[in-house]
Amino acid sequence: MRKIIIILSSVFVFLLIAVIAAPFVIDLNKYKDRIITLAKPYLNREFDFADVKLTLISGLGVEINGLRIADNPEFGSEDFLSLQSLRIKVALFPLLKKKIQIKKLIMDEPVVRLVRNSNGVFNFSDMASDAEEDEKPQAKDEKRKEKKSGSEKKPDSEHNIFLAGLMVSQFTLHSGQIHFLDNFVPDAPVTMVFDSLNIELKNVSLYKPIRIYASAGLQGTTEQNLLIKGMVGPVGDNMDLVGLAMDIHVSVQNVFLHKFVPYIPDGLMLSPLEGILYMTANIKGSVHSGLDLESVIQGEKLVMSIKDSDEKIQNVNITLKEKIKYDDRKGDIGFQQLDLALNDNNVSLTGTIENIKTDPQWDVTLMAKMNALDEALALYPVFKEALPQDFRFTGPLNMEITSSGSKDAMQISGHTDMTRAEILYGEVFKKQKNIPFQISLKANKIADIIQLEAFAVNLQNASLNSSGSIEDMVNPRFDLVSTANEFSLKGWDAIVPLLKEYEPEGSVSIKNYMKGNFDDAFVNLHVSSPKLLFKFPASSDKKEDENTKQRKDVAESIRFELLAKKLADNITADGGLEMGNGTILDINFEEAKGKYSFQDDILKIQSFQMRTFEGDISLTGNYDSKSMQWDASPIINAVRIDGVVDAFTQYRGMMKGVFSGSFDMGGSLGKNDKMVTNANGSFRLLQGEIENVNLMETIIDSLLRIKEVYKYAGEKKDVLEKYDVTRFDSLDGEFSLLNDMLDLKKCYLENIYTPDVPGSDAKLKGDINFDTGKLDLSGKVILSSEHSEKLTKKAKPLKALLNEKGNIVLPVTVTGTMSNPKPLLDTSYVLNAMMNYYGKEELEKGLDKLKGKLGLEKLGLEKLWQKD
């Protein structure tokens, strides 16, 4: 036994000495030229190494030191690949069976220099010989035919066994570097360095999972900020990469994006310029059997550029979290989580999409919580530019949309809440925070038809509900009904600033029907209200007192209808308006109704009637929406003129009576234009009074103050009693107006009241300046026959003023202003007439005496002296 132990010990010592001495005894460098000669055809490059030696103690294999592969001379003189050492370890027992099984492949400090030229060609493109290029043309044709027919031969088992044998059980790379010079990018060339590269592959085999561990320092840092670890495989005999199972973890930290700007594709609407990127991802499963992906991608302090703009978006923070399951065989994607956070805005997607490769079927839910929508819109210039320039949205928006079905038949429902947001659109729309605002939707789509089951817009206290169909989204054709049940207008002046000065109150309801497309559409709109209260702004020539400030106009039983049609760019419309009764600008009215039409930019008032001022008013008219010019033809029947004057002029309380007339008038609604610029017509005022002047008293008083009349008539106060008004049975007039100047062509007052004897008339004409109120009228006062007789009996010289009917005719003028008119008698005319009367009277007396003395009457000559 002792001898056996001694023998075995001796053998072991001998073998140990042999193993230690073998690397020093066996010199593999003598095969260096042979090795280089064998490798060159496969590398197509200059290939060299410093030395090669056999290793036994650390494992059977070889160690190659100072290995280098030269670069293509067209790309530079530096080495394409250089490494400190390459160690290859093989398994002993398979080698005894003439099979090569590599246990370990270790690369120490490899340095790879990659170059891409200005034509996009890499410096390694010419390295490996194409196996197909070495084949004979006949063999190539046979292979192509096999691929085309699907009868390509699969690798036999012996070949697979050979490949399995060549698999490296363990691959290790220590402290590697990759230098990349890119001349293909625009502007200046880019140099990138990937440092501290470590790779470890364990259990490399066709039939076992391969463990992977890799780390590196990406561009911009010397620390390792890239980590990949996990398991892949088994690969299998068929090398089916699609069915390859994996369980991989990937981590990327502190990647500075400005280093990668040249590799961002051109034409993006938004491109990152600066910022830091972080990513972690876990991938498990296979593409065929189901791939689970869970990842988090973060971008911090990003600076984004906008396409075709010098504008840059600063300080953008993005986080993308996802949990996705993908099955390639079924074409199914399941979104357990897909969350995108953009600063304070969050969007998430959950659900499934099936048959994505053939006929996609989905059931997904999109949820959004946008706390700064304006920031999100800034990242999507297409949407931002589509909005009006003075549109602003600030504050939160919450949205949920659910959709299921396919592209040919789908259902969609959603709800959006913007209550806490502030939405501004110039001076047209201003929704402040905490004013309720929600939009909800429920619809179905079959083929090209969308059936809108419900579309509701809730704003403030109003709810507008729509339903119907929309066909063909390329050129949409709609058939929709919208209704808003009765809601209060209180508070709407804060949302629609144009309403603010009107201070609306009351309630309205709306119903609308639309049919057609954008080029050929029909609209039928109905608006009704049981009662509306509002305030018309005071006109510039009226001062508001406290009562006026508190006053609200009112209209009851309102019904408005619009039937409009659009064909290309041409819009036509018809409609009507009815109001039961109300008060507007202190004007009471009843039974107001009208019909209108619109065509070629002209709004035509076909008819309008209403009862007001105890009478009736009707009119027709036109308004040109482009030039803002208007014209109208009102007809007024038996209205109280005192109400009209008090309501529309500053001459309150100056006139009374029953007014009728018809006019043609026109003007402009332009901002700096006069509203009324021209008018003409005729009118009649019955049982009228002019309160600020007594025309007859003033004229008779002026007449009786003439000395020649006074001495015959006696004191004036015994002749005429004083009154402060001019009363008359009727006033007929005709006029024309141009700008502020009214031409009173006719003003005929009949039966002007006097205390003793009525029946006097007046006829006037002239100009009235509405801007200054100045009067310039002239005409005559015609005293009644009875009054004329009384005056001529007391003052015979007044007979000189009699007309052929025995009426005294007194020429007058009216000057002053409309608020203070001044009637004036033409006294010079009266005096001249009276002087003529005196001369004629004295002449007749002398002739009478002469006739008596001469006896002319006897001779028949008295006819010579008879009066005409």
Side-chain angles (χ1 to χ4, degrees), residues 628-676:
M628 302 184 74
Q629 301 293 314
W630 65 272
D631 64 79
S633 299
I635 298 175
I636 301 172
N637 183 34
V639 303
R640 299 296 306 178
I641 191 63
D642 48 330
V644 176
V645 172
D646 291 353
F648 294 107
T649 73
Q650 68 267 40
Y651 308 111
R652 191 177 182 85
M654 287 178 54
M655 295 189 71
K656 294 181 180 178
V658 178
F659 183 85
S660 300
S662 61
F663 317 107
D664 293 317
M665 53 200 308
S668 173
L669 297 181
K671 185 176 181 180
N672 298 318
D673 296 338
K674 288 185 177 295
M675 184 174 178
V676 180

Short mmCIF file of all heavy atoms in Angstrom, two decimals, residues 628-676:
data_model
loop_
_atom_site.label_atom_id
_atom_site.label_comp_id
_atom_site.label_asym_id
_atom_site.label_seq_id
_atom_site.Cartn_x
_atom_site.Cartn_y
_atom_site.Cartn_z
N MET A 628 -71.99 98.56 -43.42
CA MET A 628 -72.68 98.98 -42.19
C MET A 628 -73.67 100.11 -42.44
O MET A 628 -74.04 100.86 -41.53
CB MET A 628 -71.66 99.38 -41.10
CG MET A 628 -70.69 98.27 -40.74
SD MET A 628 -69.57 98.71 -39.39
CE MET A 628 -70.69 98.59 -38.00
N GLN A 629 -74.10 100.26 -43.69
CA GLN A 629 -75.13 101.24 -44.04
C GLN A 629 -76.51 100.61 -43.87
O GLN A 629 -76.70 99.42 -44.10
CB GLN A 629 -74.95 101.70 -45.49
CG GLN A 629 -73.59 102.33 -45.79
CD GLN A 629 -73.40 103.64 -45.05
OE1 GLN A 629 -74.29 104.49 -45.04
NE2 GLN A 629 -72.24 103.81 -44.45
N TRP A 630 -77.51 101.44 -43.50
CA TRP A 630 -78.86 100.95 -43.31
C TRP A 630 -79.87 101.93 -43.90
O TRP A 630 -79.59 103.11 -44.09
CB TRP A 630 -79.17 100.71 -41.83
CG TRP A 630 -79.17 101.97 -41.00
CD1 TRP A 630 -78.10 102.54 -40.38
CD2 TRP A 630 -80.29 102.82 -40.75
NE1 TRP A 630 -78.47 103.68 -39.73
CE2 TRP A 630 -79.82 103.89 -39.94
CE3 TRP A 630 -81.62 102.80 -41.10
CZ2 TRP A 630 -80.65 104.91 -39.51
CZ3 TRP A 630 -82.46 103.80 -40.67
CH2 TRP A 630 -81.98 104.85 -39.87
N ASP A 631 -81.04 101.42 -44.18
CA ASP A 631 -82.16 102.27 -44.57
C ASP A 631 -83.44 101.64 -44.05
O ASP A 631 -83.51 100.42 -43.85
CB ASP A 631 -82.22 102.46 -46.09
CG ASP A 631 -82.48 101.17 -46.83
OD1 ASP A 631 -83.65 100.72 -46.87
OD2 ASP A 631 -81.50 100.57 -47.35
N ALA A 632 -84.45 102.48 -43.80
CA ALA A 632 -85.71 101.99 -43.24
C ALA A 632 -86.84 102.88 -43.69
O ALA A 632 -86.65 104.06 -44.01
CB ALA A 632 -85.64 101.94 -41.72
N SER A 633 -88.04 102.31 -43.69
CA SER A 633 -89.25 103.05 -44.06
C SER A 633 -90.32 102.80 -43.00
O SER A 633 -91.17 101.92 -43.15
CB SER A 633 -89.75 102.61 -45.44
OG SER A 633 -88.78 102.87 -46.43
N PRO A 634 -90.29 103.56 -41.91
CA PRO A 634 -91.28 103.36 -40.86
C PRO A 634 -92.61 104.04 -41.21
O PRO A 634 -92.65 105.06 -41.89
CB PRO A 634 -90.63 104.01 -39.65
CG PRO A 634 -89.71 105.04 -40.22
CD PRO A 634 -89.24 104.50 -41.53
N ILE A 635 -93.68 103.44 -40.69
CA ILE A 635 -95.02 104.02 -40.78
C ILE A 635 -95.57 104.08 -39.36
O ILE A 635 -95.63 103.07 -38.66
CB ILE A 635 -95.94 103.18 -41.68
CG1 ILE A 635 -95.40 103.13 -43.11
CG2 ILE A 635 -97.36 103.74 -41.67
CD1 ILE A 635 -96.18 102.20 -44.02
N ILE A 636 -95.94 105.30 -38.95
CA ILE A 636 -96.40 105.52 -37.58
C ILE A 636 -97.87 105.91 -37.62
O ILE A 636 -98.28 106.78 -38.41
CB ILE A 636 -95.58 106.64 -36.92
CG1 ILE A 636 -94.09 106.24 -36.91
CG2 ILE A 636 -96.05 106.91 -35.51
CD1 ILE A 636 -93.17 107.34 -36.46
N ASN A 637 -98.64 105.25 -36.77
CA ASN A 637 -100.09 105.48 -36.79
C ASN A 637 -100.59 105.76 -35.38
O ASN A 637 -100.58 104.88 -34.51
CB ASN A 637 -100.81 104.26 -37.37
CG ASN A 637 -102.30 104.47 -37.49
OD1 ASN A 637 -102.77 105.57 -37.75
ND2 ASN A 637 -103.06 103.41 -37.26
N ALA A 638 -101.03 107.01 -35.18
CA ALA A 638 -101.75 107.41 -33.97
C ALA A 638 -101.00 107.13 -32.68
O ALA A 638 -101.54 106.55 -31.74
CB ALA A 638 -103.14 106.75 -33.94
N VAL A 639 -99.71 107.52 -32.61
CA VAL A 639 -98.96 107.36 -31.37
C VAL A 639 -98.98 108.67 -30.60
O VAL A 639 -99.18 109.76 -31.17
CB VAL A 639 -97.50 106.94 -31.65
CG1 VAL A 639 -97.45 105.65 -32.44
CG2 VAL A 639 -96.73 108.03 -32.37
N ARG A 640 -98.78 108.59 -29.29
CA ARG A 640 -98.72 109.77 -28.46
C ARG A 640 -97.35 110.42 -28.64
O ARG A 640 -96.33 109.87 -28.28
CB ARG A 640 -98.92 109.40 -27.00
CG ARG A 640 -100.26 108.75 -26.69
CD ARG A 640 -101.44 109.65 -26.95
NE ARG A 640 -101.34 110.93 -26.25
CZ ARG A 640 -102.25 111.91 -26.34
NH1 ARG A 640 -103.31 111.75 -27.15
NH2 ARG A 640 -102.09 113.03 -25.67
N ILE A 641 -97.36 111.66 -29.23
CA ILE A 641 -96.09 112.30 -29.55
C ILE A 641 -95.31 112.69 -28.30
O ILE A 641 -94.08 112.73 -28.31
CB ILE A 641 -96.33 113.56 -30.43
CG1 ILE A 641 -95.00 114.09 -31.00
CG2 ILE A 641 -97.05 114.63 -29.63
CD1 ILE A 641 -94.31 113.13 -31.91
N ASP A 642 -96.02 112.94 -27.19
CA ASP A 642 -95.32 113.30 -25.97
C ASP A 642 -94.41 112.16 -25.51
O ASP A 642 -93.30 112.39 -25.03
CB ASP A 642 -96.30 113.69 -24.87
CG ASP A 642 -97.43 112.69 -24.72
OD1 ASP A 642 -97.80 112.05 -25.72
OD2 ASP A 642 -97.94 112.54 -23.59
N GLY A 643 -94.88 110.91 -25.65
CA GLY A 643 -94.03 109.77 -25.28
C GLY A 643 -92.83 109.65 -26.18
O GLY A 643 -91.72 109.34 -25.72
N VAL A 644 -93.02 109.88 -27.48
CA VAL A 644 -91.91 109.79 -28.43
C VAL A 644 -90.86 110.85 -28.14
O VAL A 644 -89.65 110.57 -28.07
CB VAL A 644 -92.43 109.92 -29.87
CG1 VAL A 644 -91.26 109.91 -30.86
CG2 VAL A 644 -93.41 108.82 -30.20
N VAL A 645 -91.30 112.10 -27.95
CA VAL A 645 -90.37 113.20 -27.69
C VAL A 645 -89.63 112.98 -26.37
O VAL A 645 -88.41 113.16 -26.28
CB VAL A 645 -91.12 114.54 -27.68
CG1 VAL A 645 -90.20 115.67 -27.22
CG2 VAL A 645 -91.65 114.84 -29.07
N ASP A 646 -90.36 112.54 -25.35
CA ASP A 646 -89.73 112.33 -24.05
C ASP A 646 -88.70 111.19 -24.09
O ASP A 646 -87.68 111.24 -23.41
CB ASP A 646 -90.80 112.00 -23.00
CG ASP A 646 -91.68 113.20 -22.69
OD1 ASP A 646 -91.36 114.30 -23.19
OD2 ASP A 646 -92.68 113.04 -21.97
N ALA A 647 -89.00 110.16 -24.91
CA ALA A 647 -88.12 108.97 -24.94
C ALA A 647 -86.89 109.17 -25.81
O ALA A 647 -85.81 108.68 -25.48
CB ALA A 647 -88.91 107.76 -25.43
N PHE A 648 -87.03 109.91 -26.90
CA PHE A 648 -85.95 109.94 -27.89
C PHE A 648 -85.24 111.29 -28.01
O PHE A 648 -84.26 111.39 -28.75
CB PHE A 648 -86.49 109.54 -29.26
CG PHE A 648 -86.96 108.12 -29.33
CD1 PHE A 648 -88.31 107.83 -29.37
CD2 PHE A 648 -86.06 107.07 -29.32
CE1 PHE A 648 -88.75 106.52 -29.42
CE2 PHE A 648 -86.49 105.76 -29.38
CZ PHE A 648 -87.84 105.48 -29.42
N THR A 649 -85.72 112.35 -27.35
CA THR A 649 -85.07 113.65 -27.48
C THR A 649 -84.84 114.25 -26.10
O THR A 649 -85.34 113.75 -25.09
CB THR A 649 -85.93 114.62 -28.32
OG1 THR A 649 -87.06 115.05 -27.53
CG2 THR A 649 -86.42 113.97 -29.60
N GLN A 650 -84.11 115.36 -26.10
CA GLN A 650 -83.87 116.07 -24.85
C GLN A 650 -84.95 117.11 -24.56
O GLN A 650 -84.88 117.82 -23.57
CB GLN A 650 -82.50 116.74 -24.87
CG GLN A 650 -82.35 117.90 -25.84
CD GLN A 650 -81.81 117.45 -27.19
OE1 GLN A 650 -82.18 116.39 -27.69
NE2 GLN A 650 -80.93 118.25 -27.77
N TYR A 651 -85.97 117.16 -25.44
CA TYR A 651 -87.02 118.18 -25.30
C TYR A 651 -88.22 117.59 -24.57
O TYR A 651 -89.35 117.62 -25.05
CB TYR A 651 -87.41 118.72 -26.67
CG TYR A 651 -86.22 119.18 -27.46
CD1 TYR A 651 -85.80 118.50 -28.59
CD2 TYR A 651 -85.50 120.31 -27.07
CE1 TYR A 651 -84.69 118.92 -29.31
CE2 TYR A 651 -84.38 120.73 -27.77
CZ TYR A 651 -83.98 120.03 -28.89
OH TYR A 651 -82.88 120.45 -29.59
N ARG A 652 -87.95 117.07 -23.40
CA ARG A 652 -88.97 116.40 -22.61
C ARG A 652 -90.10 117.37 -22.23
O ARG A 652 -89.86 118.47 -21.76
CB ARG A 652 -88.34 115.80 -21.35
CG ARG A 652 -89.24 114.87 -20.59
CD ARG A 652 -88.47 114.27 -19.40
NE ARG A 652 -89.29 113.33 -18.67
CZ ARG A 652 -89.44 112.05 -18.98
NH1 ARG A 652 -88.78 111.57 -20.02
NH2 ARG A 652 -90.22 111.26 -18.28
N GLY A 653 -91.32 116.92 -22.42
CA GLY A 653 -92.50 117.69 -22.00
C GLY A 653 -92.84 118.84 -22.92
O GLY A 653 -93.65 119.70 -22.54
N MET A 654 -92.30 118.93 -24.13
CA MET A 654 -92.52 120.08 -24.99
C MET A 654 -93.69 119.91 -25.95
O MET A 654 -94.22 120.89 -26.44
CB MET A 654 -91.25 120.38 -25.79
CG MET A 654 -90.13 120.99 -24.96
SD MET A 654 -88.63 121.28 -25.91
CE MET A 654 -89.26 122.26 -27.27
N MET A 655 -94.08 118.65 -26.26
CA MET A 655 -95.13 118.46 -27.25
C MET A 655 -96.13 117.42 -26.79
O MET A 655 -95.78 116.48 -26.06
CB MET A 655 -94.54 118.02 -28.60
CG MET A 655 -93.65 119.05 -29.26
SD MET A 655 -93.18 118.59 -30.95
CE MET A 655 -94.74 118.81 -31.80
N LYS A 656 -97.35 117.58 -27.24
CA LYS A 656 -98.41 116.61 -27.00
C LYS A 656 -99.23 116.47 -28.27
O LYS A 656 -99.21 117.31 -29.14
CB LYS A 656 -99.30 117.05 -25.83
CG LYS A 656 -98.61 117.07 -24.48
CD LYS A 656 -99.59 117.49 -23.39
CE LYS A 656 -98.90 117.51 -22.03
NZ LYS A 656 -99.82 117.95 -20.94
N GLY A 657 -99.97 115.34 -28.31
CA GLY A 657 -100.84 115.11 -29.45
C GLY A 657 -100.74 113.69 -29.96
O GLY A 657 -100.01 112.86 -29.42
N VAL A 658 -101.51 113.42 -31.01
CA VAL A 658 -101.55 112.10 -31.63
C VAL A 658 -100.85 112.22 -32.98
O VAL A 658 -101.28 112.97 -33.86
CB VAL A 658 -103.01 111.61 -31.81
CG1 VAL A 658 -103.02 110.26 -32.49
CG2 VAL A 658 -103.71 111.54 -30.45
N PHE A 659 -99.77 111.43 -33.13
CA PHE A 659 -98.86 111.59 -34.26
C PHE A 659 -99.00 110.42 -35.23
O PHE A 659 -99.04 109.26 -34.83
CB PHE A 659 -97.43 111.66 -33.74
CG PHE A 659 -96.40 111.91 -34.80
CD1 PHE A 659 -96.10 113.19 -35.21
CD2 PHE A 659 -95.73 110.84 -35.39
CE1 PHE A 659 -95.12 113.41 -36.18
CE2 PHE A 659 -94.77 111.07 -36.36
CZ PHE A 659 -94.47 112.35 -36.75
N SER A 660 -98.99 110.73 -36.52
CA SER A 660 -98.97 109.72 -37.58
C SER A 660 -98.04 110.23 -38.68
O SER A 660 -97.86 111.44 -38.85
CB SER A 660 -100.36 109.47 -38.15
OG SER A 660 -101.25 109.02 -37.15
N GLY A 661 -97.44 109.29 -39.40
CA GLY A 661 -96.57 109.71 -40.48
C GLY A 661 -95.90 108.53 -41.16
O GLY A 661 -95.97 107.38 -40.69
N SER A 662 -95.23 108.80 -42.25
CA SER A 662 -94.45 107.79 -42.96
C SER A 662 -93.17 108.44 -43.45
O SER A 662 -93.18 109.59 -43.89
CB SER A 662 -95.25 107.21 -44.13
OG SER A 662 -95.58 108.22 -45.06
N PHE A 663 -92.06 107.67 -43.35
CA PHE A 663 -90.75 108.25 -43.64
C PHE A 663 -89.89 107.24 -44.40
O PHE A 663 -90.12 106.03 -44.34
CB PHE A 663 -90.00 108.62 -42.35
CG PHE A 663 -90.85 109.29 -41.32
CD1 PHE A 663 -91.24 108.61 -40.18
CD2 PHE A 663 -91.28 110.59 -41.49
CE1 PHE A 663 -92.02 109.21 -39.23
CE2 PHE A 663 -92.06 111.21 -40.54
CZ PHE A 663 -92.45 110.52 -39.39
N ASP A 664 -88.89 107.77 -45.06
CA ASP A 664 -87.77 107.00 -45.58
C ASP A 664 -86.51 107.58 -44.95
O ASP A 664 -86.30 108.79 -45.00
CB ASP A 664 -87.69 107.09 -47.11
CG ASP A 664 -88.87 106.41 -47.78
OD1 ASP A 664 -89.24 105.31 -47.34
OD2 ASP A 664 -89.43 107.00 -48.73
N MET A 665 -85.68 106.71 -44.37
CA MET A 665 -84.51 107.22 -43.67
C MET A 665 -83.34 106.26 -43.82
O MET A 665 -83.52 105.09 -44.20
CB MET A 665 -84.83 107.45 -42.18
CG MET A 665 -85.41 106.25 -41.48
SD MET A 665 -86.31 106.66 -39.94
CE MET A 665 -85.10 107.61 -39.08
N GLY A 666 -82.16 106.74 -43.51
CA GLY A 666 -80.97 105.91 -43.64
C GLY A 666 -79.82 106.47 -42.82
O GLY A 666 -79.88 107.57 -42.28
N GLY A 667 -78.75 105.64 -42.74
CA GLY A 667 -77.60 106.06 -41.96
C GLY A 667 -76.54 104.99 -41.90
O GLY A 667 -76.46 104.12 -42.79
N SER A 668 -75.72 105.02 -40.87
CA SER A 668 -74.61 104.08 -40.74
C SER A 668 -74.46 103.67 -39.28
O SER A 668 -74.71 104.45 -38.36
CB SER A 668 -73.31 104.72 -41.24
OG SER A 668 -72.20 103.87 -40.97
N LEU A 669 -74.03 102.41 -39.10
CA LEU A 669 -73.73 101.91 -37.75
C LEU A 669 -72.23 101.81 -37.52
O LEU A 669 -71.79 101.14 -36.60
CB LEU A 669 -74.39 100.53 -37.54
CG LEU A 669 -75.92 100.52 -37.61
CD1 LEU A 669 -76.43 99.11 -37.36
CD2 LEU A 669 -76.53 101.48 -36.61
N GLY A 670 -71.46 102.47 -38.37
CA GLY A 670 -70.02 102.50 -38.19
C GLY A 670 -69.66 103.18 -36.88
O GLY A 670 -70.41 104.03 -36.37
N LYS A 671 -68.50 102.83 -36.34
CA LYS A 671 -68.11 103.29 -35.01
C LYS A 671 -68.10 104.81 -34.91
O LYS A 671 -68.57 105.40 -33.93
CB LYS A 671 -66.73 102.73 -34.66
CG LYS A 671 -66.28 103.06 -33.26
CD LYS A 671 -64.96 102.39 -32.94
CE LYS A 671 -64.52 102.71 -31.50
NZ LYS A 671 -63.22 102.06 -31.16
N ASN A 672 -67.57 105.50 -35.92
CA ASN A 672 -67.46 106.95 -35.86
C ASN A 672 -68.45 107.65 -36.78
O ASN A 672 -68.32 108.85 -37.04
CB ASN A 672 -66.03 107.37 -36.22
CG ASN A 672 -65.01 106.82 -35.23
OD1 ASN A 672 -65.23 106.83 -34.04
ND2 ASN A 672 -63.90 106.31 -35.76
N ASP A 673 -69.43 106.90 -37.28
CA ASP A 673 -70.41 107.47 -38.21
C ASP A 673 -71.66 107.91 -37.46
O ASP A 673 -71.95 107.43 -36.36
CB ASP A 673 -70.79 106.45 -39.29
CG ASP A 673 -69.61 106.07 -40.16
OD1 ASP A 673 -68.66 106.87 -40.22
OD2 ASP A 673 -69.64 104.98 -40.75
N LYS A 674 -72.41 108.84 -38.09
CA LYS A 674 -73.70 109.23 -37.55
C LYS A 674 -74.72 108.13 -37.84
O LYS A 674 -74.77 107.59 -38.93
CB LYS A 674 -74.17 110.55 -38.17
CG LYS A 674 -73.37 111.75 -37.68
CD LYS A 674 -73.96 113.03 -38.24
CE LYS A 674 -73.21 114.23 -37.70
NZ LYS A 674 -73.37 114.38 -36.24
N MET A 675 -75.52 107.86 -36.84
CA MET A 675 -76.48 106.78 -37.00
C MET A 675 -77.52 107.12 -38.06
O MET A 675 -77.86 106.30 -38.90
CB MET A 675 -77.17 106.49 -35.66
CG MET A 675 -78.11 105.30 -35.72
SD MET A 675 -78.76 104.90 -34.09
CE MET A 675 -79.85 103.54 -34.53
N VAL A 676 -78.05 108.36 -38.04
CA VAL A 676 -79.03 108.80 -39.04
C VAL A 676 -78.40 109.92 -39.85
O VAL A 676 -77.98 110.94 -39.29
CB VAL A 676 -80.33 109.28 -38.36
CG1 VAL A 676 -81.33 109.72 -39.42
CG2 VAL A 676 -80.92 108.18 -37.49
#
